[in-house]
Amino acid sequence: MKYAIFHRLPLILAAVLLMTGCNTAYKMTYLQDMSYNMAYPAKPAPELIVHKGDMLAIQVYSSSPELVAPFRLSGTASADNGKGVDVYTVDSAGEIVFPVIGRVKVEGKTLRSVQDQIADLISRGGYIKSPTVWARIANFTVTVVGNAGNTVIPVEDSSINILQVIARSGGVKGGGNNIKEVTVIRTEGDVRTAHKVNLRSKGLFDSPVFYLQQGDIVYVKPQGAQLSSSGQTALSFATVALSLGTIITNFILWSNR
C-alpha cells in the first residue's frame, strides 16, 4: 500500500502544477465578474476640459483658403510636430493669444466649446462668414509607473481609457493582486486627487478615471519584492516543490493508518 504512492507521483505533480497555474491565472484575470451575453450600460467618454499649461493645436478652415491665412501663426516654430497645425499654450490666466482676434479665455472649457467660441469670434468680426475650427490637446500624455512599466504615453486622439493605457505599456507584470489596487493620480487646477480602481471588477467602467485625462498618472503597486526572471523561476519551482512535499507527506500519513 505504502509503495502505491510512487506510482501516483506523476498524477500528484500534475495536480499541483494545475492548481498553481490556475491560481495565478485567476489572480491575473481582468473583469472577472462580467457575465457572457449580458448587456451592460456603456458610458461615453467625457469631453476633455482645457487646463492651464495645455497646448492647443488649432486649425481654421474655410471654403475660401485665402481668408484663413491671417489666422495662422507666422513661421513654423509652433507647428504641431511638423503637421502644419498651429499650437497655442494656455497661459497662467487661462487664455491663449489667437491671431487677429486676440486673447481668448479657454480654461475650464471643453474642446468643442473652444472650437465654437473661436469660430463665433471670427464670424462676428466679419472675417469669415462660416468658418470651421478644429482643436485638440497637443500635449495629451498619460504617465505609467510601477508594475505596468515606466513610460509616458502620448495620446493622439481625444479619448483613451485605463485598459488601453495598461495594454500600451505592456501589461501588468508580476503577481495578480496588484491589479486590484491600481491608482490614478489626477490634477485638476490646484488639487491633486488619488483614485483607486480594481481592474478585476466590471465596476471599473463606472469609475470617474476609467477614461483618462491629460496629465494623469497611472500607478500599479508592485506586489512584494521584485525578482529577476531567474529568481521568479526559482520561486515558482520552490512553491511547487513545497506544495508537492505537503501533499506527499499527507498521503503517506493517510496510507499508513
Side-chain angles (χ1 to χ4, degrees):
M1 179 69 176
K2 63 182 179 180
Y3 296 107
I5 187 174
F6 296 106
H7 298 287
R8 300 179 184 178
L9 279 178
L11 181 60
I12 295 173
L13 179 59
V16 172
L17 292 173
L18 180 61
M19 288 186 294
T20 303
C22 288
N23 184 52
T24 300
Y26 176 77
K27 289 182 178 180
M28 286 300 295
T29 302
Y30 295 81
L31 306 173
Q32 294 176 6
D33 52 1
M34 290 194 74
S35 301
Y36 290 108
N37 303 317
M38 179 176 290
Y40 295 93
K43 296 181 180 179
E47 292 192 70
L48 295 177
I49 304 297
V50 178
H51 301 141
K52 295 175 184 177
D54 283 347
M55 300 174 65
L56 301 183
I58 303 176
Q59 182 74 54
V60 178
Y61 298 94
S62 170
S63 56
S64 302
E66 68 277 4
L67 298 179
V68 173
F71 298 96
R72 296 297 309 275
L73 294 174
S74 59
T76 59
S78 296
D80 178 19
N81 297 324
K83 297 178 181 178
V85 180
D86 296 327
V87 176
Y88 305 83
T89 301
V90 182
D91 62 21
S92 58
E95 300 176 338
I96 60 172
V97 179
F98 203 78
V100 181
I101 61 178
R103 300 188 71 84
V104 180
K105 182 74 173 182
V106 296
E107 182 190 13
K109 299 180 179 180
T110 66
L111 289 176
R112 188 186 304 275
S113 295
V114 172
Q115 293 173 166
D116 293 343
Q117 179 183 16
I118 293 176
D120 183 63
L121 290 171
I122 293 174
S123 179
R124 286 195 292 112
Y127 305 109
I128 303 176
K129 185 177 181 180
S130 299
T132 298
V133 178
W134 171 90
R136 77 175 184 86
I137 296 176
N139 62 334
F140 188 172
T141 60
V142 175
T143 301
V144 182
V145 293
N147 250 32
N150 296 282
T151 184
V152 176
I153 297 176
V155 181
E156 292 292 334
D157 300 323
S158 296
S159 173
I160 192 168
N161 64 56
I162 190 169
L163 291 177
Q164 291 172 319
V165 165
I166 292 294
R168 288 179 60 177
S169 68
V172 177
K173 304 169 182 62
N177 286 330
N178 49 4
I179 69 173
K180 295 172 57 180
E181 298 181 356
V182 177
T183 302
V184 176
I185 301 172
R186 173 166 295 172
T187 302
E188 296 176 296
D190 298 326
V191 179
R192 183 173 289 114
T193 309
H195 302 262
K196 183 176 291 187
V197 293
N198 181 2
L199 302 186
R200 293 169 64 178
S201 171
K202 65 179 183 294
L204 166 68
F205 296 118
D206 297 321
S207 170
V209 294
F210 174 68
Y211 289 103
L212 299 172
Q213 296 182 8
Q214 64 273 32
D216 279 354
I217 300 172
V218 179
Y219 172 61
V220 182
K221 183 175 65 174
Q223 184 176 344
Q226 299 302 297
L227 301 176
S228 63
S229 58
S230 59
Q232 290 176 344
T233 301
L235 181 59
S236 298
F237 277 115
T239 302
V240 172
L242 180 60
S243 300
L244 180 60
T246 301
I247 292 176
I248 292 176
T249 300
N250 291 335
F251 193 87
I252 293 175
L253 293 174
W254 176 81
S255 301
N256 289 333
R257 287 181 178 179

